[in-house]
Amino acid sequence: MQPSSRACIVGIAGPSGSGKTTIASLLAERLPGGAVVFPLDAYYIDQRGVPDDDINVDVPEAFDQVLILDQLRALLAGVPIQQPIYNYATHSRAPVRRNVQPLPNVIIEGIYALYWPEVRKLLTTSVFLSLDHPDCLERRIDRDARERGRSRTTVVYQYERRVRPMYDLHIHPTRQHAT
């Protein structure tokens, strides 16, 4: 399915802590007719019961790719969706979902927004945000302490062990798809 000619479907990718969510929210406020912000973080696969040390949300396989595509296509067809809500504390999906009504524009934001060819085919424009690793890490420490109750030590450990290596392997190469 190709997006309608009047819709703007924007993909915003980049490293964790680069400002994707902030940029997406600001853009949504300014697009004529309104925009749905489609956060890929909502589509993590439920990992309830998996030991914390075995959870890696920084790989493409951590996302429900089928649901991402199904719900994007529904929104683009003008159909409301029931978007999952991911709980970082329990690494699971909440039992309730967020009602999302279609709007003329969709902004897909997340580390893998430019990764999957099927998603890229839906985009009318794409952006890759760049920021140095030390700045991303400091932003992530601040966010994870404030929003997820994590300690600085835990965030640094996770960033060095999983976030940065997966960025280098999977996410950084997607910058070539930015238009």
Side-chain angles (χ1 to χ4, degrees), residues 21-126:
T21 303
T22 301
I23 297 292
S25 296
L26 292 170
L27 181 59
E29 292 171 6
R30 289 166 176 77
L31 283 172
V36 171
V37 175
F38 192 89
L40 292 180
D41 285 2
Y43 294 88
Y44 282 121
I45 293 171
D46 193 303
Q47 297 189 60
R48 180 186 349 234
V50 176
D52 282 351
D53 223 30
D54 293 339
I55 294 174
N56 186 353
V57 296
D58 294 289
V59 293
E61 298 79 20
F63 294 85
D64 189 338
Q65 298 168 37
V66 171
L67 187 59
I68 289 169
L69 278 170
D70 287 349
Q71 292 202 334
L72 276 173
R73 289 180 177 136
L75 282 174
L76 296 176
V79 177
I81 63 168
Q82 297 292 308
Q83 190 172 64
I85 299 169
Y86 189 77
N87 181 324
Y88 288 93
T90 61
H91 300 290
S92 64
R93 289 191 181 161
V96 297
R97 290 186 171 226
R98 180 177 156 238
N99 295 317
V100 178
Q101 297 298 317
L103 289 171
N105 306 292
V106 177
I107 302 166
I108 305 162
E109 67 90 5
I111 58 176
Y112 285 104
L114 305 181
Y115 183 80
W116 298 290
E118 298 86 358
V119 172
R120 288 196 310 267
K121 287 177 190 173
L122 301 173
L123 302 176
T124 55
T125 192
S126 54

